[in-house]
Amino acid sequence: MRRFVADKTRNLIRRASTWSPTCPVSPRPHHPPSLLSQPTSPPFSSSSPSHPSSITSPLRFLTAAALHPLSFPASPNSMASNYSTTPVTLQSVNPKVLKCEYAVRGEIVTLAQKLEQDLKQNPDSHPFDEIIYCNIGNPQSLGQQPITFFREVLALCDHPAILDRSETQGLFSADAIERAFQILDQIPGRATGAYSHSQGIKGLRETIAAGIAERDGFPADPNDIFLTDGASPAVHMMMQLLIRSEKDGILCPIPQYPLYSASIALHGGTLVPYYLDEATGWGLEISELKKQLETAKSNGVCVRALVVINPGNPTGQVLAEDNQREIVEFCKNEGLVLLADEVYQENIYVPDKQFHSFKKVCRSMGYGEKNISLVSFQSVSKGYYGECGKRGGYMEVTGFSPEIREQIYKVASVNLCSNISGQILASLVMNPPKVGDESYESYTGEKDGILSSLAKRAKKGIGMELPQMFPVVMQNGITQ
Amino acid sequence: MRRFVADKTRNLIRRASTWSPTCPVSPRPHHPPSLLSQPTSPPFSSSSPSHPSSITSPLRFLTAAALHPLSFPASPNSMASNYSTTPVTLQSVNPKVLKCEYAVRGEIVTLAQKLEQDLKQNPDSHPFDEIIYCNIGNPQSLGQQPITFFREVLALCDHPAILDRSETQGLFSADAIERAFQILDQIPGRATGAYSHSQGIKGLRETIAAGIAERDGFPADPNDIFLTDGASPAVHMMMQLLIRSEKDGILCPIPQYPLYSASIALHGGTLVPYYLDEATGWGLEISELKKQLETAKSNGVCVRALVVINPGNPTGQVLAEDNQREIVEFCKNEGLVLLADEVYQENIYVPDKQFHSFKKVCRSMGYGEKNISLVSFQSVSKGYYGECGKRGGYMEVTGFSPEIREQIYKVASVNLCSNISGQILASLVMNPPKVGDESYESYTGEKDGILSSLAKRAKKGIGMELPQMFPVVMQNGITQ
């Protein structure tokens, strides 16, 4: 049944794609024509020969998909009312909000919702009985189970009153209980219901920094860590810091994860696109970066930062270390902040590729704090953890002067702090059970099971090096 | 000892307040002089006769306090480095970020940190041995215990694997187990680790809407609810929607909670201050609103919205229903969005005052969807719950056309969703245990204990009707 649904859905999507000559659900840079006019090669334009938008490509299928399944259902009474006297209209709303496009509103999702509505009214209206939304990497909504150890610790931190009860020993693993005690001891007053430091609980940041240092082989400083509600608010924070007007540009990969185009639009900046090369496995060419940077400059755009998504989203490419070095040199020479989206660092399914953080690459080149401004984003939503709903994540901020760091801290403090459960989870992700811990075996079993399942489906379905999003599509569309 | 510390701290603060002729830790509107010049009465100016800034007033003590206790400690290696070649400087950072002032950086906190440092280096350096930060309502950091039922449900939702285990019956109350089952059944796939609908889980919004309807006696629509990570992101969302440039103004009370001035600055708008009248218990006079609106208009500012904080923060005033009706008429006549900060709705400590939501007031006046644009903010951080670290909250959005609601939804969707634990908690707060539930007795005992303790300290310390923030100060400063 599911295979059939997938085939049927592809056909419907093909039909949907003919509704418009362009691909309006894909993100488009929102630069004013006067600043950056590239009419012959807009991202995803079907007329661009180097970026064919054929919907039959699995990659196109995914990148054209919208990001969130559910629309905003206007309340029944509101639909019937006349709003002519209410003060906010499309003419008077912030135009940056209007300009912001988020794939959530795209045609594919609209079509899916229509089909769902059809099925509700008449279950026989289509030759399938279910719509499964695969338009975002949301593995737990599709049956992926969370890591037991993580959830044990979260539950115990939520309700520490049971920590000393005898029944708890039977319900929870010993190392989860011990870890909960450790974490609670790091929180002033053991108060998981209190606002924390605006960068996050110090002890948890120390744990995360230790995890980064172990991963990279270079030291990490807890004071560089800003814990956030997922990676998205961290990205917004950096855009807010950097973008002064539409004359400020941010270099972003195409294809991209549409958070970047949306955030740049909301902050009133200009997306400066650079194109990944499908022919070389979605490679990132320095010549392309240079070309786009020069074009932007000649259009009066001041480029402030380069976004690199590694491993790529949605392309799944894994950058080679040599390529990363070139990118670092480019940013250093051009005076750009390097914004490294590294949330898929655990999602590499081929033995000959390896994740290297940009921080590690910079430090291995001998570049330290004073040489390069680098922000690395990480999230609990991806990897084998897939804890999207917990909204945990962090950014590691290096290479900014103390006065600029104060500005970043100020912006972080305006929202007080990120949620404590997400903070705890971020620390667990960067410090999972170790050999000898009671949970180690079950943890590695669960982790390996998830990753090998993702890898199997990724390879079976589309290619060799693909991020988590693909397996999610495959899970429901093709391989059950 | 604590009484002594409080007295001593007051003296230190008095001294600190003499460092500057104005009160720089208090929020100031960031309107350009050309747009709104009121040199004779800036908010909190010590030269404003109608708003004396005497630091000896307990109220001034609080409103002058900063919002977050902890500074950003620059990493040691970063302090030693030369950042002259890094690309972001104070000259090239977004000036809106620079302009944004958040009380977090104020003198009182700076002084407190200095004193703390002194104590660390030499415990005998001051006649007290501890600094307790009371600069924000953060009750659990000061020993207030969370409501057991809430935490039981959260723990069970975090780790549903134990729901069917026999030991769980002994550890958790029966109604907490039942509630966890109910909530999990409302979540597709029971996946508390999945992204939800960007407005929040539908079933939880239904629970919240039912709670609002029960509170107000007027229907509430789950589609009007947007669940958010605390109330702050909801406020930012509305500011983002409304503010197009510095020529857009938002009427805000003075004294205010500095989130408003910070958010308006970050979004590049103009804060239009209106002054609460201390002589009438921090009353809100329509004549003052009119005066400030006219002044703003004559300076070329287009006022888009009125912020009302009820019960007041930091003033603690509770608006009379008649006064609320006048405010509603004012917004309706002037074409303003009414932004109602109602997060202290449970914190009223006098029998002759009662909280009336603005939604209830509007509906009781016969004004519905098409007559008035109203947004009500609520949070799990305040009330008797005090769950600040959980980052739960919602806004109820009424009186906007479907196309504007789509814009609000789009902005919400860019961050995907708020954290699920916070969403669950928001539903619990609006639907606590009822008579007959196993937890009802312990719940009411805990709730009444917290509220009566807050009320006792509020009355003992300062006045008759004070929000939660005051008791927090009192708790540590005077009454232990």
Side-chain angles (χ1 to χ4, degrees):
Chain A
M1 182 57 171
R2 284 202 165 162
R3 176 182 293 274
F4 180 76
V5 173
D7 293 347
K8 184 76 188 170
T9 306
R10 286 233 174 93
N11 288 332
L12 287 161
I13 289 165
R14 272 189 211 107
R15 266 185 271 152
S17 72
T18 64
W19 291 352
S20 161
T22 59
C23 188
V25 292
S26 64
R28 286 176 305 195
H30 302 291
H31 41 73
S34 62
L35 290 173
L36 262 188
S37 56
Q38 298 176 312
T40 56
S41 62
F44 290 108
S45 160
S46 57
S47 64
S48 165
S50 62
H51 301 94
S53 68
S54 159
I55 205 74
T56 55
S57 149
L59 182 59
R60 189 65 52 192
F61 167 75
L62 232 204
T63 54
L67 251 173
H68 198 281
L70 301 158
S71 77
F72 174 79
S75 74
N77 61 344
S78 70
M79 291 300 286
S81 299
N82 169 11
Y83 287 88
S84 59
T85 60
T86 53
V88 189
T89 65
L90 287 181
Q91 285 69 46
S92 69
V93 85
N94 178 2
K96 291 175 193 163
V97 170
L98 282 184
K99 265 189 207 164
C100 167
E101 282 187 17
Y102 203 50
V104 65
R105 312 304 295 167
E107 286 176 20
I108 294 174
V109 171
T110 306
L111 176 67
Q113 286 165 342
K114 191 194 159 298
L115 295 174
E116 201 167 38
Q117 205 61 34
D118 291 350
L119 288 172
K120 210 177 249 175
Q121 287 163 4
N122 175 10
D124 298 325
S125 58
H126 293 283
F128 47 83
D129 50 20
E130 196 184 358
I131 297 283
I132 298 170
Y133 290 91
C134 307
N135 49 344
I136 187 165
N138 196 8
Q140 292 193 25
S141 76
L142 300 168
Q144 182 178 304
Q145 293 303 302
I147 299 290
T148 303
F149 174 80
F150 294 169
R151 293 305 191 95
E152 285 184 326
V153 177
L154 287 185
L156 291 167
C157 290
D158 266 343
H159 192 37
I162 63 171
L163 270 167
D164 292 320
R165 296 278 294 275
S166 60
E167 298 97 322
T168 305
Q169 312 289 330
L171 278 179
F172 295 83
S173 61
D175 54 340
I177 295 172
E178 193 189 328
R179 185 69 75 92
F181 271 119
Q182 281 171 14
I183 288 172
L184 289 166
D185 284 345
Q186 292 170 332
I187 302 176
R190 291 189 162 191
T192 54
Y195 293 125
S196 73
H197 186 292
S198 291
Q199 284 184 242
I201 292 158
K202 184 75 184 293
L204 301 179
R205 285 187 279 127
E206 285 166 353
T207 302
I208 289 167
I212 294 171
E214 198 182 320
R215 180 194 69 193
D216 291 347
F218 290 95
D221 188 330
N223 293 324
D224 293 344
I225 308 295
F226 286 71
L227 282 153
T228 48
D229 291 312
S232 301
V235 170
H236 289 309
M237 240 187 271
M238 292 311 300
M239 295 300 173
Q240 190 155 44
L241 186 86
L242 293 170
I243 295 172
R244 293 163 293 184
S245 74
E246 64 183 21
K247 295 202 169 182
D248 279 336
I250 309 288
L251 270 161
C252 289
I254 304 293
Q256 55 126 11
Y257 174 60
L259 167 67
Y260 294 98
S261 50
S263 187
I264 292 167
L266 283 175
H267 290 99
T270 292
L271 187 147
V272 181
Y274 67 90
Y275 296 90
L276 301 176
D277 183 9
E278 186 167 6
T280 61
W282 301 103
L284 197 167
E285 302 291 330
I286 300 297
S287 57
E288 167 71 5
L289 292 180
K290 282 186 178 155
K291 188 182 90 181
Q292 299 296 350
L293 178 68
E294 290 312 316
T295 306
K297 277 184 184 171
S298 68
N299 285 305
V301 172
C302 169
V303 180
R304 311 290 319 266
L306 168 69
V307 172
V308 179
I309 311 177
N310 180 49
N313 177 4
T315 59
Q317 97 279 19
V318 183
L319 297 179
E321 210 172 343
D322 279 353
N323 195 193
Q324 291 183 272
R325 289 172 193 268
E326 291 176 314
I327 293 165
V328 169
E329 286 292 353
F330 173 77
C331 287
K332 189 174 172 298
N333 294 338
E334 302 292 349
L336 302 179
V337 176
L338 177 48
L339 300 174
D341 179 335
E342 300 181 323
V343 302
Y344 281 102
Q345 58 190 262
E346 300 272 6
N347 297 96
I348 299 176
Y349 308 125
V350 283
D352 60 327
K353 300 271 173 142
Q354 207 186 333
F355 169 73
H356 302 283
S357 78
F358 269 102
K359 169 111 170 298
K360 173 184 168 185
V361 170
C362 290
R363 297 297 176 265
S364 69
M365 293 168 79
Y367 293 151
E369 269 287 309
K370 65 181 174 182
N371 308 112
I372 177 113
S373 300
L374 167 68
V375 183
S376 165
F377 304 100
Q378 166 66 321
S379 165
V380 305
S381 304
K382 311 303 169 193
Y384 58 89
Y385 6 102
E387 293 275 19
C388 310
K390 295 293 175 192
R391 311 312 291 126
Y394 68 81
M395 58 177 179
E396 186 187 11
V397 175
T398 53
F400 291 84
S401 66
E403 58 265 31
I404 295 301
R405 303 252 298 222
E406 279 197 20
Q407 297 300 318
I408 301 172
Y409 175 73
K410 184 172 67 180
V411 173
S413 74
V414 173
N415 276 329
L416 298 164
C417 67
S418 61
N419 83 89
I420 306 295
S421 293
Q423 292 190 25
I424 292 171
L425 196 48
S427 82
L428 297 177
V429 155
M430 298 306 282
N431 185 25
K434 299 280 187 292
V435 182
D437 293 343
E438 183 184 311
S439 294
Y440 182 71
E441 203 174 326
S442 69
Y443 159 73
T444 47
E446 291 171 357
K447 174 184 170 180
D448 294 349
I450 292 167
L451 285 175
S452 68
S453 166
L454 293 173
K456 195 174 65 184
R457 282 172 283 160
K459 287 171 189 166
K460 196 174 182 179
I462 313 174
M464 287 303 282
E465 42 177 15
L466 295 157
Q468 186 173 341
M469 290 177 78
F470 282 101
V472 173
V473 172
M474 291 300 100
Q475 181 178 6
N476 297 278
I478 293 174
T479 63
Q480 134 30 37
Chain B
M1 182 59 171
R2 285 202 166 162
R3 176 183 293 276
F4 180 76
V5 173
D7 293 347
K8 183 77 187 169
T9 307
R10 287 235 172 93
N11 288 333
L12 286 161
I13 289 165
R14 271 190 211 105
R15 266 185 272 151
S17 72
T18 64
W19 290 351
S20 161
T22 59
C23 188
V25 291
S26 64
R28 286 179 304 196
H30 303 291
H31 42 73
S34 62
L35 290 173
L36 263 188
S37 56
Q38 298 177 312
T40 57
S41 62
F44 290 109
S45 159
S46 57
S47 63
S48 166
S50 62
H51 301 93
S53 68
S54 159
I55 205 74
T56 55
S57 148
L59 181 60
R60 190 63 52 189
F61 166 76
L62 233 205
T63 54
L67 250 175
H68 199 282
L70 301 156
S71 77
F72 174 78
S75 73
N77 60 344
S78 70
M79 291 300 286
S81 300
N82 168 12
Y83 287 88
S84 59
T85 59
T86 53
V88 189
T89 65
L90 287 181
Q91 286 69 46
S92 68
V93 85
N94 178 1
K96 291 175 193 162
V97 169
L98 281 185
K99 265 188 208 165
C100 167
E101 282 186 19
Y102 202 50
V104 65
R105 313 303 295 167
E107 285 176 21
I108 295 174
V109 171
T110 306
L111 176 68
Q113 286 165 341
K114 191 195 157 297
L115 296 174
E116 199 168 40
Q117 205 61 34
D118 291 351
L119 288 173
K120 210 177 248 177
Q121 287 163 2
N122 176 9
D124 298 325
S125 58
H126 293 284
F128 46 84
D129 51 19
E130 196 184 358
I131 297 284
I132 298 170
Y133 290 91
C134 307
N135 49 342
I136 187 164
N138 196 9
Q140 293 193 25
S141 76
L142 301 168
Q144 182 177 304
Q145 292 303 302
I147 299 290
T148 303
F149 175 80
F150 293 169
R151 292 306 192 95
E152 285 184 325
V153 177
L154 287 185
L156 291 167
C157 290
D158 265 344
H159 192 36
I162 63 171
L163 270 168
D164 292 321
R165 296 278 295 275
S166 60
E167 297 97 323
T168 305
Q169 311 289 332
L171 276 178
F172 294 84
S173 62
D175 55 338
I177 295 172
E178 194 189 327
R179 185 69 75 94
F181 271 119
Q182 280 171 11
I183 288 172
L184 289 166
D185 284 344
Q186 292 169 331
I187 302 176
R190 291 190 162 191
T192 54
Y195 293 124
S196 73
H197 186 290
S198 291
Q199 284 183 241
I201 292 159
K202 183 76 184 292
L204 301 179
R205 285 187 279 128
E206 285 167 353
T207 303
I208 289 167
I212 294 171
E214 197 182 319
R215 181 195 69 193
D216 291 347
F218 290 95
D221 188 329
N223 293 324
D224 293 344
I225 308 295
F226 285 71
L227 283 153
T228 48
D229 292 312
S232 302
V235 170
H236 288 310
M237 240 186 272
M238 292 312 300
M239 296 301 174
Q240 190 155 43
L241 186 85
L242 293 170
I243 295 173
R244 294 162 294 185
S245 74
E246 63 183 21
K247 295 202 170 183
D248 279 337
I250 309 289
L251 270 162
C252 289
I254 303 295
Q256 55 126 9
Y257 174 59
L259 167 67
Y260 294 98
S261 50
S263 187
I264 292 167
L266 282 175
H267 291 99
T270 291
L271 187 148
V272 181
Y274 67 90
Y275 297 89
L276 302 176
D277 184 9
E278 187 168 6
T280 61
W282 301 102
L284 197 168
E285 302 291 330
I286 301 297
S287 57
E288 167 70 4
L289 291 180
K290 282 186 178 155
K291 188 182 91 182
Q292 299 296 351
L293 178 69
E294 290 312 317
T295 307
K297 277 185 186 172
S298 68
N299 285 304
V301 172
C302 169
V303 180
R304 311 289 318 266
L306 168 69
V307 172
V308 178
I309 311 178
N310 180 49
N313 177 4
T315 59
Q317 97 279 20
V318 183
L319 296 179
E321 210 172 343
D322 278 352
N323 194 193
Q324 290 182 272
R325 288 171 191 269
E326 291 177 315
I327 294 165
V328 169
E329 285 293 353
F330 174 76
C331 288
K332 189 174 171 299
N333 295 338
E334 301 292 348
L336 303 179
V337 176
L338 177 49
L339 300 173
D341 180 335
E342 300 181 324
V343 303
Y344 282 102
Q345 58 190 262
E346 301 272 5
N347 297 97
I348 298 176
Y349 308 125
V350 283
D352 60 327
K353 299 272 174 145
Q354 206 186 332
F355 168 73
H356 302 282
S357 78
F358 269 103
K359 169 112 170 298
K360 174 185 167 184
V361 170
C362 289
R363 298 296 176 265
S364 68
M365 294 168 78
Y367 293 150
E369 269 288 309
K370 65 182 174 183
N371 307 112
I372 177 113
S373 301
L374 167 67
V375 183
S376 164
F377 303 100
Q378 167 66 320
S379 166
V380 305
S381 304
K382 311 304 168 191
Y384 58 90
Y385 7 101
E387 292 275 20
C388 310
K390 294 294 174 189
R391 312 310 293 124
Y394 68 81
M395 59 177 178
E396 186 188 12
V397 175
T398 53
F400 292 84
S401 65
E403 56 266 33
I404 295 301
R405 303 253 299 224
E406 279 197 19
Q407 297 300 319
I408 301 171
Y409 175 73
K410 184 173 67 179
V411 173
S413 74
V414 174
N415 277 329
L416 298 165
C417 67
S418 62
N419 83 89
I420 306 295
S421 294
Q423 292 190 25
I424 292 171
L425 196 48
S427 82
L428 297 177
V429 155
M430 298 306 283
N431 185 25
K434 300 280 187 293
V435 181
D437 294 343
E438 184 184 311
S439 293
Y440 181 71
E441 202 174 328
S442 70
Y443 159 74
T444 46
E446 291 171 357
K447 174 185 170 179
D448 294 348
I450 291 167
L451 285 175
S452 67
S453 165
L454 293 172
K456 195 175 66 186
R457 282 172 284 161
K459 287 170 190 166
K460 195 173 183 180
I462 312 174
M464 285 303 281
E465 45 177 273
L466 294 156
Q468 185 173 340
M469 290 178 79
F470 282 100
V472 173
V473 172
M474 292 300 100
Q475 181 177 9
N476 297 279
I478 293 174
T479 61
Q480 174 334 64

